[in-house]
Amino acid sequence: MYAIAQVGGRQYRVSPGDEILVEKLDQPAGSEIKLPVLLVSDDAGVRIGAPHVAGADVTAKVMRDEKGEKLIVFKYHPKKRYRLKKGHRQTYTRLKIA
């Protein structure tokens, strides 16, 4: 059994017990949130929503906030002595699907 859930404009394939990283949510750790479902696949078959499947919600528990890997942003203009190097770490929220 799996479902396609939507969080922050992105879609994730989730099953019970999965942990996913999504863009940072303004929810405290330990709280539970409900995610809208676009598609459900189970023993009864596949149900597709228009846009969401009626009566189907995915419950997720907010585990913690974390930072992703560091990305290097390097800007360079040839023959102009311009070089700029910066780093960036995106913040994520880890969700556990119930």
Side-chain angles (χ1 to χ4, degrees):
M1 178 180 144
Y2 70 90
I4 305 295
Q6 184 173 4
V7 183
R10 296 188 182 199
Q11 299 171 5
Y12 300 91
R13 182 179 192 242
V14 296
S15 297
D18 285 352
E19 287 191 5
I20 58 173
L21 280 176
V22 299
E23 289 191 20
K24 188 169 187 319
L25 301 175
D26 292 332
Q27 300 289 332
S31 64
E32 290 193 359
I33 58 172
K34 291 190 181 255
L35 308 176
V37 176
L38 304 175
L39 180 140
V40 175
S41 175
D42 55 8
D43 296 337
V46 176
R47 292 182 290 162
I48 300 173
H52 304 296
V53 178
D57 283 329
V58 171
T59 304
K61 182 178 179 183
V62 177
M63 302 300 286
R64 63 184 173 274
D65 291 336
E66 356 182 311
K67 284 188 168 184
E69 294 293 320
K70 182 177 236 182
L71 300 176
I72 302 298
V73 179
F74 186 74
K75 296 181 181 182
Y76 171 74
H77 294 180
K79 302 176 188 167
K80 300 294 182 193
R81 294 184 183 171
Y82 176 80
R83 288 163 180 81
L84 180 67
K85 183 178 179 180
K86 288 187 178 181
H88 174 75
R89 290 184 73 185
Q90 184 71 34
T91 53
Y92 295 103
T93 300
R94 183 172 293 274
L95 300 178
K96 182 169 178 85
I97 307 300

